[in-house]
Amino acid sequence: MNGDRATAIEITYAGVAGAVGGLVGIAGIYVGKWFSYSYVTQGARATFYFDGTEDWTGQVAFIAGLAAFAFGVAYVLLSDPQIRTLTGSLMGVGGIFLLAMAALAFTRVDEVIGPHPFLPGVEPGQSIRITTAAAGGLWMTVVAGMAAVYGSYLSIRRR
């Protein structure tokens, strides 16, 4: 070094929690699937899954997860106190929306599946029982939203 003071990135748990929460939330929307329905026909169970983006709640949650991730990374990389205050707050807004949209999606399972879902293997006139449910990715997104909100809480507490 030429005598200048070396600068190092200070890894903060607040920013890491927000960034990881946002990234895991996005993964839950696409990879984990949010909604499912199943039925039994000809002795076999058929199950179909839907991404979170099949509903407007998942689309908003995607944007919120992206915001929580981006502002969490910015919180880690930028060291100016005023910028950290802003990025910590925006990370919290993203985390709150991520959590709120995932929670709201639990009430929208039947709307996403619809009254007449695709039923391969079912004969016309055959009576079957369709079971709808929230899939694992929705729970994954809820936990991710809580992590992002917790990261924002840590950033506020740090000040």
Side-chain angles (χ1 to χ4, degrees), residues 63-146:
I63 294 167
L66 195 59
F69 172 72
F71 291 117
V73 169
Y75 188 89
V76 170
L77 294 178
L78 304 172
S79 61
D80 181 56
Q82 289 178 329
I83 291 176
R84 275 201 164 170
T85 299
L86 177 65
T87 57
S89 299
L90 292 173
M91 176 178 57
V93 170
I96 289 168
F97 270 91
L98 181 63
L99 182 59
M101 291 301 108
L104 184 61
F106 280 102
T107 66
R108 299 199 38 86
V109 175
D110 290 331
E111 285 84 5
V112 172
I113 304 302
H116 305 290
F118 178 59
L119 302 171
V122 176
E123 300 296 325
Q126 181 182 357
S127 177
I128 60 165
R129 182 171 184 261
I130 299 172
T131 305
T132 60
L138 187 52
W139 289 103
M140 187 171 146
T141 305
V142 167
V143 171
M146 289 190 300

Side-chain angles (χ1 to χ4, degrees), residues 3-43:
D4 290 326
R5 183 176 91 179
T7 58
I9 296 174
E10 177 187 340
I11 304 296
T12 59
Y13 292 117
V16 171
V20 168
L23 192 60
V24 171
I26 291 170
I29 294 167
Y30 285 107
V31 178
K33 311 296 184 197
W34 270 22
F35 311 104
S36 71
Y37 71 94
S38 61
Y39 61 94
V40 177
T41 182
Q42 302 171 2

